[in-house]
Amino acid sequence: MSRRLLRLNAQFRQELAQLIHFEVRDPRLADFVSITQVEISPDLANASVHASVMGDEQAKRSTIEALTAAAPFLRRHLTERIAIRRIPILHFLLDESIEEAARLLTLMKQVTETKSPP
């Protein structure tokens, strides 16, 4: 991956996080949404946006639906914030890596607590 794409991925992640937090007003959005990763295709046509959502399955599903519905709004605002010729089409995906890591840490903590010292 080129340095330009790496920079664009980071800039898109930062701008999308700010836009979602401050500009998107959708009741379906969960309180704890974070953009964990953005992967822009080399031709700048598509971008996979990985979003981490804390909550139950219903909250996760409705948040991804809300973000998908807000994609045209977000693209329009990205054209004002990022100076490139073409803003990619945004595809939102659920990222459960943070939640999975928290679950694994809890399991490891339980294992160490149940072990008796020698």
Side-chain angles (χ1 to χ4, degrees):
M1 187 175 296
S2 70
R3 280 191 240 168
R4 178 176 185 241
L5 268 181
L6 291 173
R7 276 194 327 266
L8 280 174
N9 288 340
Q11 188 175 9
F12 268 74
R13 185 176 57 78
Q14 181 181 11
E15 295 293 341
L16 282 169
Q18 288 180 356
L19 284 169
I20 290 167
H21 185 68
F22 294 113
E23 300 291 332
V24 177
R25 303 283 183 247
D26 193 324
R28 295 178 292 177
L29 281 178
D31 292 332
F32 299 107
V33 179
S34 61
I35 303 301
T36 56
Q37 185 178 5
V38 175
E39 297 173 356
I40 301 173
S41 64
D43 62 353
L44 302 179
N46 296 294
S48 297
V49 181
H50 300 268
S52 177
V53 181
M54 298 304 251
D56 60 352
E57 290 300 317
Q58 177 62 28
K60 291 176 184 179
R61 187 173 40 253
S62 66
T63 298
I64 295 299
E65 289 172 2
L67 290 173
T68 302
F73 170 81
L74 294 169
R75 279 187 77 200
R76 186 171 52 253
H77 282 292
L78 286 172
T79 59
E80 299 167 359
R81 294 177 174 224
I82 299 175
I84 59 175
R85 287 184 190 173
R86 180 179 14 180
I87 298 293
I89 297 170
L90 304 174
H91 304 280
F92 288 94
L93 306 168
L94 183 61
D95 184 4
E96 295 181 344
S97 61
I98 294 174
E99 195 170 289
E100 187 67 23
R103 188 182 69 79
L104 287 175
L105 284 174
T106 303
L107 288 174
M108 289 190 322
K109 189 175 182 180
Q110 288 175 353
V111 167
T112 57
E113 288 174 353
T114 58
K115 284 186 176 181
S116 61

